[in-house]
Amino acid sequence: MKVDGKDIRTIWLDKDLKVVKVIDQRLLPHEFVIVDLKTVNDVINAIKEMYVRGAPLIGVTGAYGVYLAVLTCPDKTIKDGYLIKECNRLKSARPTAVNLAWAVDKVLSEVLKVNTSLKIDAARKEAARITDEEVENCKKIGEHGLCVIDKISGRKRGDTVNILTHCNAGWLACIEYGTATAPIYAAFEHGMDIHVWVDETRPLNQGARLTAWELGKHGVKHTVVTDNAGGHLMQHGMVDMVIVGADRTTCTGDVANKIGTYLKALAARDNGIPFYVALPSSTFDWILRDGLKEIPIEERDPDEVRYVQGLVQGTTKSVLVSPVGSPAANFAFDVTPARLITGFITERGICKAEEQDINRLFPVH
Ligand code: MRU
């Protein structure tokens, strides 16, 4: 994607092949800072503290974390046991997005297959392959999702299509295009009249800070709304469809995504509005069947709820919102049951949120 005219991805390997570069997303939209990750600890910290976030990007960062584990291994024989331990540390950096374990395990398995002298190359190549595959998958999600938007646009005789999204499932959450935003960018490129309602997404405001920023940079019409506005907008015919991303999807179609997604799905169902989840296959957890019971929901520092970050006289600052001493709880994700989801937009096409139809698109997993 372009930032101020320059093509940029959310993660890349520096020319010397020793440093992984990422955007520090904690500082957006007011500061654009690139950070160097040189060790496994740097990668774990970047994922935990959310310099990088969003399921596909967390996965790819984890993949490069395995590369750094091999590259910086203190023992030149690069023992399997050491790598497996480092990979376990990487996988536990954040619990909900399944892409992290998926990508780490993929790189690890390539590294374990080859002799010591080939391990660095094997890790780098697999991390790069996963990165390119995620880019390609997001591009295809855009193409498939475009058809859905096109139909709505046709029904509205070219009138503005209003799409509501939650959190940031944009290119910042991925490598390019995004998942929920890929169909939006595709529709925009095709000259369709679209407008995006951007949920602010408390507590960390990924919608207000990140989705609004990237849509703005791209020139897509959008409006930031409070998290609680969606139901009202839907009741008054101001939303034609909802598209969100996913952090983990069971083989039966339940979806974990940013906290508040479930409430949007309920409101969409009550108002007869299509509710789509855009996801690459790396977000499927093929083992889990019951999202509510089985998907681990991350609980983060309550201070993320108590404080809000923003620009104060040109400097990014945190301010305390709640009374000093009031307890807060910070559940980072919720689960939307399959029954509330109109369909999945995947790299292989669109399917229902049902095991049989998911298996039609993904017979082998
Ligand atoms: O806590 P975050 O910012 O990592 O949560 C991100 C989300 O919930 C996204 O909506 C999800 O990962 C889909 S990203 C393509």
Side-chain angles (χ1 to χ4, degrees):
M1 303 301 280
K2 283 203 191 308
V3 175
D4 299 332
K6 257 178 120 182
D7 271 320
I8 185 164
R9 285 185 167 184
T10 51
I11 185 166
W12 66 96
L13 197 55
D14 203 11
K15 277 198 262 336
D16 69 359
L17 306 183
K18 289 190 175 143
V19 177
V20 177
K21 302 267 194 185
V22 296
I23 302 165
D24 186 348
Q25 299 193 17
R26 300 169 312 161
L27 304 176
L28 285 172
H30 305 301
E31 292 172 59
F32 187 83
V33 175
I34 309 286
V35 174
D36 289 354
L37 310 179
K38 297 180 180 164
T39 64
V40 174
N41 282 344
D42 287 349
V43 169
I44 291 171
N45 185 55
I47 295 174
K48 271 198 169 128
E49 298 302 323
M50 295 175 65
Y51 295 57
V52 291
R53 28 70 49 205
L57 179 57
I58 291 172
V60 167
T61 311
Y64 277 109
V66 185
Y67 168 64
L68 290 178
V70 181
L71 192 70
T72 62
C73 180
D75 169 2
K76 288 305 153 211
T77 61
I78 317 180
K79 299 232 165 41
D80 288 358
Y82 170 84
L83 287 181
I84 291 165
K85 255 201 209 147
E86 290 299 88
C87 285
N88 286 339
R89 288 204 308 126
L90 281 164
K91 287 194 276 187
S92 57
R94 286 191 77 190
T96 301
V98 74
N99 307 54
L100 177 57
W102 171 86
V104 166
D105 284 340
K106 270 195 174 301
V107 181
L108 177 64
S109 114
E110 291 306 307
V111 172
L112 295 183
K113 272 186 208 160
V114 296
N115 296 331
T116 308
S117 62
L118 301 173
K119 284 189 189 303
I120 293 177
D121 246 27
R124 184 175 48 78
K125 281 190 183 141
E126 183 61 2
R129 191 196 65 73
I130 292 172
T131 309
D132 290 343
E133 187 178 75
E134 289 297 58
V135 170
E136 198 46 35
N137 287 345
C138 285
K139 192 171 177 208
K140 287 184 185 144
I141 287 170
E143 288 160 11
H144 296 301
L146 172 64
C147 303
V148 182
I149 301 178
D150 193 37
K151 270 190 201 143
I152 296 173
S153 172
R155 269 204 308 273
K156 294 190 80 176
R157 299 177 196 278
D159 231 22
T160 309
V161 177
N162 287 295
I163 302 167
L164 183 136
T165 192
H166 191 67
C167 193
N168 173 262
W171 74 271
L172 284 167
C174 305
I175 323 300
E176 292 265 19
Y177 309 108
T179 56
T181 54
I184 292 169
Y185 289 134
F188 179 76
E189 298 306 333
H190 275 71
M192 282 178 209
D193 186 0
I194 46 169
H195 165 261
V196 184
W197 295 110
V198 178
D199 283 352
E200 60 176 350
T201 320
R202 278 283 286 143
L204 293 180
N205 290 317
Q206 287 94 327
R209 292 189 304 110
L210 306 177
T211 305
W213 182 76
E214 62 165 272
L215 290 176
K217 289 279 170 207
H218 213 82
V220 178
K221 279 192 288 181
H222 63 280
T223 307
V224 178
V225 286
T226 60
D227 289 327
N228 297 325
H232 168 78
L233 296 175
M234 292 184 207
Q235 284 174 323
H236 290 272
M238 290 190 271
V239 178
D240 296 300
M241 72 184 296
V242 180
I243 317 181
V244 297
D247 287 84
R248 191 185 292 235
T249 304
T250 65
C251 63
T252 53
D254 296 338
V255 169
N257 193 51
K258 181 53 57 192
I259 191 82
T261 302
Y262 169 54
L263 292 178
K264 295 296 161 330
L266 281 175
R269 173 55 56 91
D270 193 44
N271 289 282
I273 290 162
F275 182 95
Y276 282 93
V277 180
L279 73 159
S281 51
S282 53
T283 307
F284 279 110
D285 185 329
W286 299 110
I287 295 165
L288 303 191
R289 303 193 60 81
D290 185 330
L292 265 181
K293 286 198 184 129
E294 295 175 302
I295 297 179
I297 299 296
E298 177 180 17
E299 283 182 55
R300 296 183 59 82
D301 187 341
D303 274 352
E304 290 179 354
V305 175
R306 291 192 190 101
Y307 289 82
V308 168
Q309 183 183 288
L311 203 60
V312 182
Q313 289 169 347
T315 313
T316 305
K317 290 209 166 122
S318 261
V319 294
L320 180 63
V321 177
S322 53
V324 176
S326 272
N330 189 4
F331 299 95
F333 300 93
D334 61 23
V335 172
T336 300
R339 68 186 154 78
L340 296 177
I341 298 166
T342 308
F344 289 147
I345 308 171
T346 79
E347 71 267 22
R348 297 213 184 151
I350 293 174
C351 66
K352 291 189 196 131
E354 289 171 8
E355 187 166 18
Q356 214 184 0
D357 211 33
I358 295 168
N359 286 338
R360 174 180 62 80
L361 290 187
F362 299 96
V364 181
H365 32 80

